[in-house]
Amino acid sequence: MSPSAPLGRGPKVRSAVLAATVDELSERGYAAFTIENVAQRTGVHKTTVYRRWPDRDTLIAEALADSVAAKIPIPDTGSIEEDLRALARSLVAWATGAAGRAVLAVLVSTAAGLPAPPNSARHVFRDRIRQTLPVVTRAVARGELPEGTDPAETIKALVAPIYFRVLITGEPVDDGTADTAAALALAGARARLFTRNVSGRPESH
Amino acid sequence: MSPSAPLGRGPKVRSAVLAATVDELSERGYAAFTIENVAQRTGVHKTTVYRRWPDRDTLIAEALADSVAAKIPIPDTGSIEEDLRALARSLVAWATGAAGRAVLAVLVSTAAGLPAPPNSARHVFRDRIRQTLPVVTRAVARGELPEGTDPAETIKALVAPIYFRVLITGEPVDDGTADTAAALALAGARARLFTRNVSGRPESH
């Protein structure tokens, strides 16, 4: 969109600015991210952007949360096996696209020794994990998983192999990766690896 | 060590330079890493460093490989359960120290949108995974794991939850994290999630 065709206010501006935020992060990373670049990219005056999002971390947090919510829906098929597979597959699709790269760029800035450690992406990430927990608690209620299965540990077991490949080994990830990650999380939950005992601590193995 | 007390050549210089390389990476990250800083830190003249390591990536690769080899030994206890647990525990100890932070800083530079994507850390990482594969192949030979278990997939299932926490969620990792990761990899291998069928592809789930 060219700067000569300025957008008005309202939902169109919002979605254009949020999309441009994701694209900027995905292409340039967090260190080089500026609200000026986002404004230029969308053809919105930067004061319009600042009016709505007072600083770059507020803008980034909203853009990332929006993208995750749209791209990684919370499944409820009635089967834990199906739900975990659906979750893993949408995570793979998201992580390999612009939004996923954007989140990763922000998440790893601290580890890469960059000056301004941002918390927004980590918050978005934790929040999304929290939102997926009913997938596990519903399965426990249906008797598909052992009583006391820790939902967050189960979801993290599913997510970790996918992020590990995207971020560390650089291997391609696909539906096969997703299905194996889902099956591994399910096997771990069924083997009671994520089950808390009465003291609230995970059982020792 | 002060620049006024210059080191000679030989193994002492080598280990001092490699240790300083790890410290520099862990404290400043890859983007700010220079051979000059390493030389100053060890009190070795920079031409001495350059004579042995012509560029920073060569130096980094050697420092990281050295650190991994020293800190993550390959266990051979005769039991896959013990071996995986020992491997996971030394990985946790290493990843939470200066060397682990150094490797992570280099590994994630690309994902963070930094200019010079280094391959050295990724090579070190892949190489170490390759060196641990006998832990799994020996267990298959002993009949502890199913025929056709993919060693690399098994090891990656153990490593992923640990790196995921260190790098993404920022949660503390400890021996409990290690033991759960080892148990999860073992459960996955026993459930044949990492078993290749006759076509050489992982079985579908």
Side-chain angles (χ1 to χ4, degrees), chain B residues 101-125:
Chain B
R101 288 197 309 276
V103 168
L104 290 175
V106 179
L107 276 171
V108 301
S109 290
T110 317
L114 294 182
N119 282 313
S120 49
R122 199 165 270 184
H123 283 307
V124 169
F125 198 84

mmCIF file of all heavy atoms in Angstrom, chain B residues 101-125:
data_model
loop_
_atom_site.group_PDB
_atom_site.id
_atom_site.type_symbol
_atom_site.label_atom_id
_atom_site.label_comp_id
_atom_site.label_asym_id
_atom_site.label_seq_id
_atom_site.Cartn_x
_atom_site.Cartn_y
_atom_site.Cartn_z
ATOM 1 N N ARG B 101 24.649 -20.825 27.329
ATOM 2 C CA ARG B 101 24.146 -19.517 26.894
ATOM 3 C C ARG B 101 24.883 -19.029 25.653
ATOM 4 O O ARG B 101 24.303 -18.401 24.777
ATOM 5 C CB ARG B 101 24.268 -18.498 28.031
ATOM 6 C CG ARG B 101 23.261 -18.732 29.161
ATOM 7 C CD ARG B 101 23.141 -17.478 30.051
ATOM 8 N NE ARG B 101 24.433 -16.996 30.503
ATOM 9 C CZ ARG B 101 25.080 -17.462 31.575
ATOM 10 N NH1 ARG B 101 24.541 -18.418 32.304
ATOM 11 N NH2 ARG B 101 26.246 -16.971 31.915
ATOM 12 N N ALA B 102 26.175 -19.328 25.587
ATOM 13 C CA ALA B 102 26.961 -18.930 24.420
ATOM 14 C C ALA B 102 26.438 -19.618 23.164
ATOM 15 O O ALA B 102 26.240 -18.984 22.120
ATOM 16 C CB ALA B 102 28.434 -19.278 24.633
ATOM 17 N N VAL B 103 26.212 -20.920 23.259
ATOM 18 C CA VAL B 103 25.727 -21.657 22.091
ATOM 19 C C VAL B 103 24.345 -21.152 21.683
ATOM 20 O O VAL B 103 24.065 -20.921 20.509
ATOM 21 C CB VAL B 103 25.680 -23.168 22.381
ATOM 22 C CG1 VAL B 103 24.912 -23.898 21.291
ATOM 23 C CG2 VAL B 103 27.095 -23.719 22.473
ATOM 24 N N LEU B 104 23.502 -20.938 22.674
ATOM 25 C CA LEU B 104 22.167 -20.449 22.360
ATOM 26 C C LEU B 104 22.232 -19.086 21.681
ATOM 27 O O LEU B 104 21.525 -18.831 20.713
ATOM 28 C CB LEU B 104 21.327 -20.358 23.637
ATOM 29 C CG LEU B 104 20.941 -21.703 24.235
ATOM 30 C CD1 LEU B 104 20.217 -21.510 25.554
ATOM 31 C CD2 LEU B 104 20.072 -22.491 23.266
ATOM 32 N N ALA B 105 23.100 -18.217 22.184
ATOM 33 C CA ALA B 105 23.226 -16.882 21.605
ATOM 34 C C ALA B 105 23.592 -16.970 20.125
ATOM 35 O O ALA B 105 23.090 -16.210 19.298
ATOM 36 C CB ALA B 105 24.281 -16.079 22.356
ATOM 37 N N VAL B 106 24.474 -17.902 19.793
ATOM 38 C CA VAL B 106 24.882 -18.044 18.400
ATOM 39 C C VAL B 106 23.774 -18.704 17.583
ATOM 40 O O VAL B 106 23.433 -18.260 16.488
ATOM 41 C CB VAL B 106 26.187 -18.857 18.301
ATOM 42 C CG1 VAL B 106 26.591 -19.035 16.858
ATOM 43 C CG2 VAL B 106 27.293 -18.160 19.073
ATOM 44 N N LEU B 107 23.193 -19.742 18.158
ATOM 45 C CA LEU B 107 22.163 -20.499 17.439
ATOM 46 C C LEU B 107 20.990 -19.634 17.012
ATOM 47 O O LEU B 107 20.434 -19.805 15.937
ATOM 48 C CB LEU B 107 21.621 -21.624 18.335
ATOM 49 C CG LEU B 107 22.396 -22.925 18.386
ATOM 50 C CD1 LEU B 107 21.822 -23.806 19.474
ATOM 51 C CD2 LEU B 107 22.342 -23.636 17.048
ATOM 52 N N VAL B 108 20.588 -18.721 17.872
ATOM 53 C CA VAL B 108 19.359 -17.996 17.605
ATOM 54 C C VAL B 108 19.594 -16.671 16.893
ATOM 55 O O VAL B 108 18.645 -15.952 16.608
ATOM 56 C CB VAL B 108 18.568 -17.738 18.897
ATOM 57 C CG1 VAL B 108 18.230 -19.048 19.579
ATOM 58 C CG2 VAL B 108 19.334 -16.831 19.831
ATOM 59 N N SER B 109 20.846 -16.349 16.577
ATOM 60 C CA SER B 109 21.118 -15.062 15.934
ATOM 61 C C SER B 109 20.337 -14.896 14.632
ATOM 62 O O SER B 109 19.788 -13.831 14.355
ATOM 63 C CB SER B 109 22.610 -14.915 15.654
ATOM 64 O OG SER B 109 23.302 -14.752 16.865
ATOM 65 N N THR B 110 20.263 -15.943 13.855
ATOM 66 C CA THR B 110 19.536 -15.868 12.590
ATOM 67 C C THR B 110 18.070 -15.567 12.845
ATOM 68 O O THR B 110 17.490 -14.663 12.247
ATOM 69 C CB THR B 110 19.625 -17.210 11.841
ATOM 70 O OG1 THR B 110 20.956 -17.687 11.927
ATOM 71 C CG2 THR B 110 19.227 -17.032 10.389
ATOM 72 N N ALA B 111 17.498 -16.340 13.748
ATOM 73 C CA ALA B 111 16.075 -16.176 14.036
ATOM 74 C C ALA B 111 15.770 -14.785 14.586
ATOM 75 O O ALA B 111 14.681 -14.259 14.415
ATOM 76 C CB ALA B 111 15.604 -17.239 15.025
ATOM 77 N N ALA B 112 16.754 -14.167 15.241
ATOM 78 C CA ALA B 112 16.540 -12.844 15.821
ATOM 79 C C ALA B 112 16.721 -11.732 14.787
ATOM 80 O O ALA B 112 16.623 -10.568 15.108
ATOM 81 C CB ALA B 112 17.492 -12.626 16.993
ATOM 82 N N GLY B 113 17.000 -12.105 13.539
ATOM 83 C CA GLY B 113 17.130 -11.110 12.486
ATOM 84 C C GLY B 113 18.472 -10.404 12.481
ATOM 85 O O GLY B 113 18.601 -9.296 11.974
ATOM 86 N N LEU B 114 19.505 -11.039 13.039
ATOM 87 C CA LEU B 114 20.828 -10.419 13.066
ATOM 88 C C LEU B 114 21.526 -10.627 11.720
ATOM 89 O O LEU B 114 21.244 -11.582 11.000
ATOM 90 C CB LEU B 114 21.660 -11.016 14.195
ATOM 91 C CG LEU B 114 21.116 -10.683 15.584
ATOM 92 C CD1 LEU B 114 21.997 -11.267 16.656
ATOM 93 C CD2 LEU B 114 21.011 -9.180 15.757
ATOM 94 N N PRO B 115 22.450 -9.720 11.393
ATOM 95 C CA PRO B 115 23.002 -9.702 10.039
ATOM 96 C C PRO B 115 23.780 -10.950 9.607
ATOM 97 O O PRO B 115 23.584 -11.429 8.508
ATOM 98 C CB PRO B 115 23.925 -8.473 10.051
ATOM 99 C CG PRO B 115 24.125 -8.143 11.494
ATOM 100 C CD PRO B 115 22.922 -8.619 12.211
ATOM 101 N N ALA B 116 24.668 -11.480 10.465
ATOM 102 C CA ALA B 116 25.551 -12.546 9.983
ATOM 103 C C ALA B 116 25.142 -13.922 10.503
ATOM 104 O O ALA B 116 25.533 -14.319 11.590
ATOM 105 C CB ALA B 116 26.983 -12.242 10.398
ATOM 106 N N PRO B 117 24.329 -14.644 9.749
ATOM 107 C CA PRO B 117 23.893 -15.960 10.229
ATOM 108 C C PRO B 117 25.053 -16.951 10.307
ATOM 109 O O PRO B 117 25.623 -17.322 9.295
ATOM 110 C CB PRO B 117 22.874 -16.398 9.170
ATOM 111 C CG PRO B 117 23.132 -15.543 7.989
ATOM 112 C CD PRO B 117 23.773 -14.290 8.468
ATOM 113 N N PRO B 118 25.431 -17.361 11.499
ATOM 114 C CA PRO B 118 26.564 -18.261 11.658
ATOM 115 C C PRO B 118 26.118 -19.718 11.609
ATOM 116 O O PRO B 118 25.057 -20.056 12.094
ATOM 117 C CB PRO B 118 27.047 -17.939 13.065
ATOM 118 C CG PRO B 118 25.812 -17.523 13.780
ATOM 119 C CD PRO B 118 24.814 -17.012 12.779
ATOM 120 N N ASN B 119 26.912 -20.548 10.995
ATOM 121 C CA ASN B 119 26.565 -21.963 10.932
ATOM 122 C C ASN B 119 27.334 -22.806 11.936
ATOM 123 O O ASN B 119 26.986 -23.949 12.169
ATOM 124 C CB ASN B 119 26.818 -22.506 9.528
ATOM 125 C CG ASN B 119 25.700 -22.098 8.597
ATOM 126 O OD1 ASN B 119 24.537 -22.241 8.941
ATOM 127 N ND2 ASN B 119 26.055 -21.581 7.437
ATOM 128 N N SER B 120 28.373 -22.196 12.538
ATOM 129 C CA SER B 120 29.252 -22.994 13.380
ATOM 130 C C SER B 120 28.506 -23.672 14.533
ATOM 131 O O SER B 120 28.668 -24.861 14.774
ATOM 132 C CB SER B 120 30.383 -22.119 13.925
ATOM 133 O OG SER B 120 29.863 -20.932 14.459
ATOM 134 N N ALA B 121 27.646 -22.916 15.219
ATOM 135 C CA ALA B 121 26.967 -23.475 16.383
ATOM 136 C C ALA B 121 26.023 -24.591 15.974
ATOM 137 O O ALA B 121 25.908 -25.616 16.647
ATOM 138 C CB ALA B 121 26.196 -22.382 17.117
ATOM 139 N N ARG B 122 25.340 -24.382 14.845
ATOM 140 C CA ARG B 122 24.432 -25.414 14.368
ATOM 141 C C ARG B 122 25.203 -26.700 14.031
ATOM 142 O O ARG B 122 24.734 -27.800 14.309
ATOM 143 C CB ARG B 122 23.674 -24.876 13.157
ATOM 144 C CG ARG B 122 22.421 -25.636 12.851
ATOM 145 C CD ARG B 122 21.503 -24.886 11.910
ATOM 146 N NE ARG B 122 20.573 -24.033 12.609
ATOM 147 C CZ ARG B 122 19.615 -23.329 12.020
ATOM 148 N NH1 ARG B 122 19.481 -23.368 10.718
ATOM 149 N NH2 ARG B 122 18.797 -22.579 12.733
ATOM 150 N N HIS B 123 26.386 -26.522 13.440
ATOM 151 C CA HIS B 123 27.220 -27.694 13.135
ATOM 152 C C HIS B 123 27.628 -28.417 14.410
ATOM 153 O O HIS B 123 27.551 -29.634 14.498
ATOM 154 C CB HIS B 123 28.479 -27.277 12.362
ATOM 155 C CG HIS B 123 28.219 -26.992 10.921
ATOM 156 N ND1 HIS B 123 27.590 -27.889 10.091
ATOM 157 C CD2 HIS B 123 28.497 -25.911 10.160
ATOM 158 C CE1 HIS B 123 27.478 -27.369 8.875
ATOM 159 N NE2 HIS B 123 28.017 -26.164 8.896
ATOM 160 N N VAL B 124 28.072 -27.645 15.392
ATOM 161 C CA VAL B 124 28.485 -28.234 16.663
ATOM 162 C C VAL B 124 27.326 -29.017 17.262
ATOM 163 O O VAL B 124 27.469 -30.140 17.739
ATOM 164 C CB VAL B 124 28.936 -27.130 17.657
ATOM 165 C CG1 VAL B 124 29.109 -27.696 19.061
ATOM 166 C CG2 VAL B 124 30.229 -26.483 17.177
ATOM 167 N N PHE B 125 26.165 -28.400 17.191
ATOM 168 C CA PHE B 125 24.980 -28.996 17.760
ATOM 169 C C PHE B 125 24.617 -30.316 17.067
ATOM 170 O O PHE B 125 24.391 -31.341 17.712
ATOM 171 C CB PHE B 125 23.832 -27.994 17.621
ATOM 172 C CG PHE B 125 22.709 -28.301 18.518
ATOM 173 C CD1 PHE B 125 22.726 -27.866 19.829
ATOM 174 C CD2 PHE B 125 21.649 -29.041 18.070
ATOM 175 C CE1 PHE B 125 21.689 -28.165 20.678
ATOM 176 C CE2 PHE B 125 20.602 -29.339 18.906
ATOM 177 C CZ PHE B 125 20.623 -28.905 20.206
#
